[in-house]
């Protein structure tokens, strides 16, 4: 696959024709320009269907001048509860310095050990132990993964009991028997460190999506509940759209599990079993084509289908970020299609709408209904059009940047930025975002309060961010 990148300029969106190839925002080879709108006005115009120019024939959305004034006036009221942060300009003069420490091949996630060393995954299938001076040691015993486009070795997380048992979790694309097929898997292992060697022992898959198939958008992010008793796992829609609304399939869901991968007690559908078989499709071209996509095979579950009893929320697309705020509320960050990246406040049993609604259109311009047309579905608290293309989400609790305590941070693959989000209870609003000059895959906090970033790329840097 040709991975040459023409970066999407600020205010522009990427070529829809590459969506089916499983390439994330910003990795597409052609770009189209889209005229910016003021967030409140654009939202208002969308509600009144003034922006619906034919997507296949018009690249720039136009509207009558007479319609603009009342909508701008409405934008000053509480008409648009959701915030479009996509058109906000970068913040000048960042209050930090960025130092490159090491380099990796398509790094995906960082997990800090208590002593300040870190585990770093490479999507190609390798796991490294790295020091803060840049020394790297490959960790042996990593499971086999399907590395292809958005698939590969993805997340690494310390178990809540790490200090006593050295347990870690990995999320990855587990290969299927048919070429090019995979599904999300969650494994637990023991990290063994001795005499210049590092390895994983007693690795066990504690949860897997048994429905192997094609497509990217795996999700694969993990957050542990504040009481450290449960594990929340994001499962993306695999670019197949419709599974996100099917209660019988894990794809497009946030799952709440016990630490050993079982359905957690107290889930919205605890104890409920799903259908014994489901139809499997290949990734279709858009949300409309998905409705009549041909069935490529039928998956028959080997034993009870536990999906309903595992599910915490549904209607998610590409949930790459999930984190608990200091007050215990759960937040999730996901990619939209051509626009419409979302920050969601996650509540049990709620449906977040994908692929039924979005503040966006399909990559090929085919319209998607607005969330404003479906009051029964949960809306994002913030959305981004143009996109940031989120890498991950975390909350800051350190002392190096005391003014940032309690803030959420998100990385941007297309925005090439670090985004700070102020969160107060159920309310979130965009604060600063600083341009970094590279595709920011993930950000994590070190024990000393410094932030560390990894760059998405075959020569992806590991950076330390400290106060000036």
């Amino acid at each position: 696959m040709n991975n040459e990148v023409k970066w999407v300029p600020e205010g522009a969106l990427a070529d829809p024709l590459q969506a089916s190839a499983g390439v994330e925002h910003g990795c597409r080879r052609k770009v189209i320009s889209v005229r910016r709108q003021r967030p409140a006005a654009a939202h208002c115009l969308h509600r009144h269907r003034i922006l619906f120019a034919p997507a296949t024939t018009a690249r720039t959305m136009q509207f009558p001048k007479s319609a603009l004034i009342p909508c701008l006036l409405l934008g000053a009221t509480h008409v648009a509860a959701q915030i479009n942060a996509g058109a906000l300009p970068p913040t000048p003069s960042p209050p930090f310095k960025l130092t490159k420490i090491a380099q990796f091949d398509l790094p995906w996630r960082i997990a800090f050990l208590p002593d300040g060393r870190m585990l770093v995954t490479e999507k190609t299938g390798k796991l490294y132990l790295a020091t803060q001076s840049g020394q790297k040691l490959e960790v042996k015993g990593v499971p086999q993964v399907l590395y292809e486009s958005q698939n590969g070795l993805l997340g690494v997380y310390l178990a809540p009991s790490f200090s006593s048992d050295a347990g870690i979790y990995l999320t990855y694309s587990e290969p299927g028997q048919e070429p090019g097929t995979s599904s999300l898997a969650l494994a637990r292992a023991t990290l063994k460190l001795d005499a210049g060697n590092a390895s994983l022992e007693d690795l066990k898959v504690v949860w897997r999506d048994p429905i192997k198939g094609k497509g990217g958008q795996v999700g694969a992010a993990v957050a542990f509940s504040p009481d450290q008793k449960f594990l929340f796992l994001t499962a993306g829609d695999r670019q197949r759209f419709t599974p996100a609304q099917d209660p019988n399939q894990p794809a497009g869901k946030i799952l709440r599990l016990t630490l050993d991968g079982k359905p957690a007690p107290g889930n919205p559908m605890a104890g409920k079993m799903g259908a014994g078989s489901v139809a499997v499709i290949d990734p279709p071209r858009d949300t409309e084509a998905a409705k009549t996509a041909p069935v490529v095979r039928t998956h028959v579950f080997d034993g009870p289908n536990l999906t309903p009893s595992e599910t915490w929320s549904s209607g998610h697309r590409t949930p790459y970020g999930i984190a608990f705020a200091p007050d215990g509320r759960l937040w999730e960050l996901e990619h939209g299609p051509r626009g419409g990246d979302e920050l969601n406040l996650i509540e049990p049993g709620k449906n977040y709408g994908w692929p039924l609604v979005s503040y966006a259109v399909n990559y090929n311009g085919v319209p998607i209904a607005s969330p404003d047309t479906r009051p029964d579905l949960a809306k994002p608290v913030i959305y981004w059009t143009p996109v940031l293309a989120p890498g991950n989400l975390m909350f800051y609790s350190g002392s190096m940047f005391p003014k940032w305590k309690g803030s959420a941070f998100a990385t941007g693959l297309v925005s090439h930025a670090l985004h700070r989000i102020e969160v107060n209870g159920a309310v979130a609003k965009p604060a600063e975002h600083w341009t970094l000059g590279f595709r920011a895959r993930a950000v994590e906090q070190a024990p000393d309060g410094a932030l560390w970033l990894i760059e998405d790329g075959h020569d992806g840097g590991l950076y330390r961010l400290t106060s000036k």
Side-chain angles (χ1 to χ4, degrees):
M1 177 178 167
N2 186 343
N3 286 324
E4 290 183 2
V5 174
K6 180 178 181 181
W7 299 119
V8 179
E10 192 176 356
L13 295 176
D15 190 320
L17 300 181
Q18 295 302 318
S20 62
V23 184
E24 293 165 308
H25 292 310
C27 286
R28 306 174 182 94
R29 290 186 289 274
K30 300 177 183 177
V31 296
I32 58 175
S33 62
V34 175
R35 183 174 297 166
R36 287 187 177 189
Q37 306 292 341
R38 290 184 181 273
H43 181 70
C44 172
L45 292 166
H46 182 71
R47 285 171 60 92
H48 293 279
R49 299 186 179 274
I50 296 171
L51 293 183
F52 286 171
T56 56
T57 59
R59 290 301 193 187
T60 302
M61 299 180 285
Q62 298 180 348
F63 48 87
K65 291 182 179 179
S66 60
L68 178 60
I69 295 174
C71 283
L72 287 175
L73 292 175
L74 283 171
T77 70
H78 196 61
V79 170
Q82 280 59 50
I83 300 171
N84 181 5
L88 297 177
T91 308
S93 304
F96 54 78
K97 59 183 178 181
L98 204 59
T99 306
K100 186 174 181 179
I101 302 298
Q103 191 164 290
F104 293 87
D105 185 11
L106 292 173
W108 188 272
R109 283 291 182 272
I110 306 170
F112 275 96
L113 306 187
D115 63 7
R117 290 180 294 177
M118 65 201 88
L119 295 169
V120 180
T121 54
E122 290 185 339
K123 192 165 61 172
T124 54
K126 292 183 178 181
L127 175 67
Y128 284 93
L129 178 69
T131 69
Q132 295 199 14
S133 61
Q135 295 174 309
K136 300 188 322 187
L137 177 65
E138 185 175 353
V139 180
K140 304 298 183 183
V142 174
Q144 181 184 0
V145 307
L146 175 71
Y147 162 53
E148 180 182 71
S149 186
Q150 296 176 9
N151 300 300
L153 180 60
L154 304 173
V156 57
Y157 306 90
L158 301 193
S161 56
F162 179 84
S163 61
S164 60
D165 62 13
I168 70 165
Y169 290 90
L170 294 173
T171 57
Y172 58 98
S173 302
E174 184 179 54
Q177 292 183 348
E178 297 180 15
T181 64
S182 66
S183 69
L184 174 62
L186 171 73
R188 178 166 176 150
T190 300
L191 177 65
K192 184 177 181 181
L193 305 175
D194 58 23
N197 295 303
S199 62
L200 299 182
E201 296 187 347
D202 304 319
L203 187 138
K204 178 184 178 182
V205 176
V206 296
W207 181 91
R208 60 166 53 90
D209 179 354
I211 306 169
K212 297 290 192 290
K214 295 182 179 180
Q217 297 178 186
V218 184
V222 167
F224 297 99
S225 59
D227 63 8
Q228 305 287 279
K229 293 181 180 179
F230 302 106
L231 180 155
F232 291 77
L233 173 66
T234 69
D237 77 341
R238 303 301 311 279
Q239 298 173 300
R240 299 176 208 152
F241 302 95
T242 53
Q245 293 295 326
D246 183 353
N248 300 297
Q249 301 189 51
K253 314 295 189 302
I254 294 177
L255 310 177
R256 180 172 171 265
L257 309 171
T258 62
L259 298 182
D260 57 357
K262 303 296 190 295
N267 282 351
M269 293 183 282
K272 184 176 181 180
M273 300 296 109
S277 64
V278 295
V280 182
I281 63 175
D282 287 340
R285 65 181 178 274
D286 55 50
T287 53
E288 291 301 309
K291 296 174 182 178
T292 56
V295 175
V296 296
R297 65 182 180 86
T298 298
H299 173 81
V300 179
F301 288 85
D302 183 13
N305 179 359
L306 301 176
T307 302
S309 60
E310 298 167 337
T311 299
W312 189 251
S313 63
S314 60
H316 300 286
R317 185 175 181 271
T318 315
Y320 279 163
I322 186 168
F324 279 93
D327 65 2
R329 287 182 171 88
L330 182 62
W331 295 84
E332 176 261 354
L333 188 62
E334 65 183 72
H335 288 239
R338 206 173 91 188
D341 292 350
E342 295 183 357
L343 177 69
N344 292 301
L345 175 60
I346 300 300
E347 297 180 281
K350 286 198 172 182
N351 184 337
Y352 289 81
W354 180 255
L356 305 176
V357 296
S358 177
Y359 286 122
V361 297
N362 284 280
Y363 289 113
N364 60 5
V366 170
I368 305 171
S370 166
D372 300 327
T373 67
R374 292 291 301 268
D376 56 317
L377 302 174
K379 294 182 181 180
V381 178
I382 302 174
Y383 68 98
W384 284 262
T385 301
V387 299
L388 78 156
N392 80 326
L393 178 72
M394 54 84 68
F395 281 86
Y396 185 75
S397 61
S399 57
M400 185 173 291
F401 301 95
K403 292 182 179 180
W404 292 351
K405 276 194 175 182
S407 291
F409 282 89
T411 51
L413 294 161
V414 162
S415 66
H416 293 196
L418 178 65
H419 298 251
R420 187 174 77 87
I421 302 165
E422 294 180 348
V423 178
N424 184 10
V427 177
K429 62 180 182 179
E432 306 91 350
H433 71 277
W434 300 279
T435 300
L436 302 170
F438 57 82
R439 287 170 53 84
R441 168 60 69 185
V443 58
E444 293 295 344
Q445 179 185 316
D448 65 356
L451 290 175
W452 288 70
L453 292 149
I454 47 176
E455 173 188 7
D456 181 58
H458 286 287
D459 297 317
L462 170 69
Y463 296 86
R464 185 170 188 252
L465 186 155
T466 54
S467 58
K468 284 185 175 178

